Amino acid sequence: MEAAAELALRLRAAANGRLAGQEPLLLVAAPLLALLAARAVHAAAAHVADRGLRAVLITLAMAALKLVPGVGGYIAAQKSKVVEQLQSGSASSKKNLRTELPAIGDPDGVIGELQALKDKDVRWQGKCSGTVYIAGSESEGHFSLINKAYSMFSHTNPLHQDVFKSVAQLEAEVVAMTAALLGSKEKASGGQICGNMTSGGTESILLAVKTSRDYMQSKKGITKPEMIIAESAHSAYDKAAQYFNIKVRRVPVNKEFLADVKGFKRCINGNTIMMVGSAPGFPHGLIDPIEELGELASEYGICLHVDLCLGGFVLPFARKLGYPVPPFDFSVKGVTSISTDVHKYGLAPKGTSTVLYRNHEIRKHQFVAVTEWTGGLYVSPTMAGSRPGGLIAGAWAAMMSLGLNGYLESTGQIMEVSKKIQKGIDDISGLFVIGKPDMTVVAFGSDAVDIFEVNDIMSSKGWHLNALQRPNSLHICVTLQHTAIYEEFLKDLEDSVNTVKANPGPISGGMAPIYGAAGKMPDRGTVKELLVEFMDSSC
């Protein structure tokens, strides 16, 4: 012991001797500078780990390139040209916009002017991927019923529950009926499924992410939250991450284009608050392995959100009709929240969705309560304060008027047409279906032609399909609008493929060059800037 103490004194004396001639300020500053340098290196390493070395180097190279005189201006000019092409003539509709109130109102002319504007919209009947899910004309049948329900409650607002008790009841019943479709009656659900209506799938997703963040902070003390998503997960999760300061860990899909469970497991750490599974995913209509993700969530004690925005009002009925549907709802252990849109296959008015939670303990973290406002005590369940009671009434009317029999009938029709479209695409030389669609979204690519050139030809025939990337492909989201017109779709698609085969190359005014270039462009920051500038000039 004495020898050790003596050695320590000798080392101390030697160190003091070496440092005796140094500047005191330098001695104080050196450790601080070393700490700052270490933090900078750590941040750089984390940045490279998240984005990849190639992406970081490309970003740095582009930033340096823009510093060269003239280069920045050239890039800006080229971006403006691309944005103008993306506008595709929509800028003309902004030329004569009103910028102030009329001096004298014209109640007699308002409806006529609205009709004139509406008549300029493109033909959407049967020719749009998704978009309009209800069959028939908007002036009759189911359309007419939900419009009438909306008009009856267009003045109501569930924020004022003491006044509009009817709307509060309608929302509670929509939520309960939706929950029953998604496993609330199953013993495995725990019997506490609860939720709220929202303005759409994106708000439902935002609320589920915010709620999971706050729930996991209270449960585990996580202050630097991270969530794990497949690269096929909806972009609303990226929006939620930006809004709520959550780090996204994006996992490539496996060879079947499904969420890679092993990849998810590798990303779990002490800051993970949640994982996301889709049923189905928007791009390819494929159901992620929800059961396996549920096991993983249970093992690590984290949240699992299931995105059922597309599938919530199809999969329960498809299962009843005998289609092979893997587990996807609250009957799966580990699922903590679900989002599902009533305004898609629920055939309700646009602007209606639900977010559901396994129990009230989780959902309580969705709410915002304010106690110190001079305006009084305030509490709100969703992102919006005031909400349109008319939309809630329209959703309730849709569900009550259709009933189990109506949804079974509509699901049977769209599932049958989806299978016919899938087979028809498989039969077109040069095209292939991506994955094995579980539902009503059919994605397809080509190994013989530029699929985006095919899309341009289809657009010239009045079709509005969704362009996808990684791989370059298109998809059609089948609705009741397509049941009477799917044969025309397949004929036009085959003709378009043959046209591109005979005359390869972009058509005048087509979007294929932009889609193709965007997919190949290594600098994703420039692509992001293009999207932002396009949006800034469009709204």
Side-chain angles (χ1 to χ4, degrees), residues 39-52 56 226 247 249:
R39 292 191 65 176
V41 170
H42 179 268
H47 195 53
V48 170
D50 287 342
R51 297 188 57 203
V56 171
E226 300 181 8
K247 183 176 180 178
R249 292 194 176 272

Side-chain angles (χ1 to χ4, degrees), residues 198-205 309 341 343 351-354:
T198 72
S199 62
T202 293
E203 187 186 357
S204 291
I205 287 169
C309 290
D341 290 354
H343 66 203
T352 52
S353 177
T354 62

Side-chain angles (χ1 to χ4, degrees), residues 168-179:
Q169 178 178 331
L170 296 177
E171 177 176 12
E173 291 185 4
V174 168
V175 169
M177 288 189 288
T178 304

Side-chain angles (χ1 to χ4, degrees), residues 117-133:
L117 287 170
K118 186 179 179 183
D119 290 342
K120 295 178 182 179
D121 289 343
V122 299
R123 182 194 167 202
W124 51 264
Q125 289 83 353
K127 291 220 164 184
C128 293
S129 173
T131 311
V132 178
Y133 291 76

Side-chain angles (χ1 to χ4, degrees), residues 510-539:
M511 301 297 291
I514 293 178
Y515 285 138
K520 296 175 183 177
M521 192 177 294
D523 179 22
R524 308 312 289 172
T526 299
V527 177
K528 182 178 179 179
E529 290 172 6
L530 283 171
L531 292 175
V532 171
E533 290 191 22
F534 165 70
M535 182 56 62
D536 187 51
S537 62
S538 302
C539 65

Side-chain angles (χ1 to χ4, degrees), residues 27-277:
L27 293 177
V28 174
L32 296 175
L33 292 173
L35 178 61
L36 290 174
R39 292 191 65 176
V41 170
H42 179 268
H47 195 53
V48 170
D50 287 342
R51 297 188 57 203
L53 180 60
R54 181 171 179 268
V56 171
L57 291 176
I58 289 172
T59 301
L60 292 174
M62 286 299 298
L65 191 62
K66 290 176 183 178
L67 295 176
V68 178
V71 173
Y74 174 78
I75 293 175
Q78 294 303 309
K79 285 196 295 187
S80 295
K81 290 181 181 179
V82 174
V83 170
E84 288 177 11
Q85 190 170 351
L86 285 170
Q87 291 282 2
S88 298
S90 62
S92 60
S93 64
K94 286 192 166 187
K95 290 181 179 178
N96 299 313
L97 289 180
R98 289 186 178 85
T99 58
E100 57 185 24
L101 285 170
I104 301 175
D106 182 19
D108 294 332
V110 167
I111 299 302
E113 191 165 348
L114 285 173
Q115 186 62 52
L117 287 170
K118 186 179 179 183
D119 290 342
K120 295 178 182 179
D121 289 343
V122 299
R123 182 194 167 202
W124 51 264
Q125 289 83 353
K127 291 220 164 184
C128 293
S129 173
T131 311
V132 178
Y133 291 76
I134 303 170
S137 165
E138 58 201 301
S139 61
E140 59 187 19
H142 187 76
F143 264 120
S144 179
L145 182 142
I146 61 174
N147 289 341
K148 184 174 181 180
Y150 177 88
S151 66
M152 289 175 63
F153 289 82
S154 62
H155 61 287
T156 65
N157 180 357
L159 180 65
H160 305 287
Q161 290 192 24
D162 56 330
V163 179
F164 303 115
K165 297 178 181 179
S166 57
V167 178
Q169 178 178 331
L170 296 177
E171 177 176 12
E173 291 185 4
V174 168
V175 169
M177 288 189 288
T178 304
L181 294 175
L182 304 178
S184 69
K185 303 298 183 182
E186 301 291 330
K187 186 177 181 180
S189 74
Q192 291 190 46
I193 307 302
C194 53
N196 294 90
M197 290 189 68
T198 72
S199 62
T202 293
E203 187 186 357
S204 291
I205 287 169
L206 290 174
L207 287 170
V209 172
K210 183 265 184 194
T211 303
S212 298
R213 181 198 66 177
D214 293 354
Y215 173 64
M216 292 301 290
Q217 183 176 8
S218 71
K219 186 178 179 181
K220 289 189 173 183
I222 296 175
T223 57
K224 295 182 179 180
E226 300 181 8
M227 66 175 168
I228 306 170
I229 67 174
E231 62 181 12
S232 57
H234 197 278
S235 53
Y237 297 98
D238 292 277
K239 181 182 285 189
Q242 291 186 34
Y243 284 179
F244 306 134
N245 195 27
I246 297 171
K247 183 176 180 178
V248 174
R249 292 194 176 272
R250 196 184 316 274
V251 180
V253 293
N254 61 23
K255 61 182 179 180
E256 285 84 29
F257 295 92
L258 301 173
D260 181 5
V261 179
K262 291 182 179 178
F264 273 46
K265 185 172 184 177
R266 286 193 293 269
C267 289
I268 295 175
N269 59 43
N271 289 322
T272 304
I273 59 167
M274 68 183 299
M275 301 184 299
V276 172

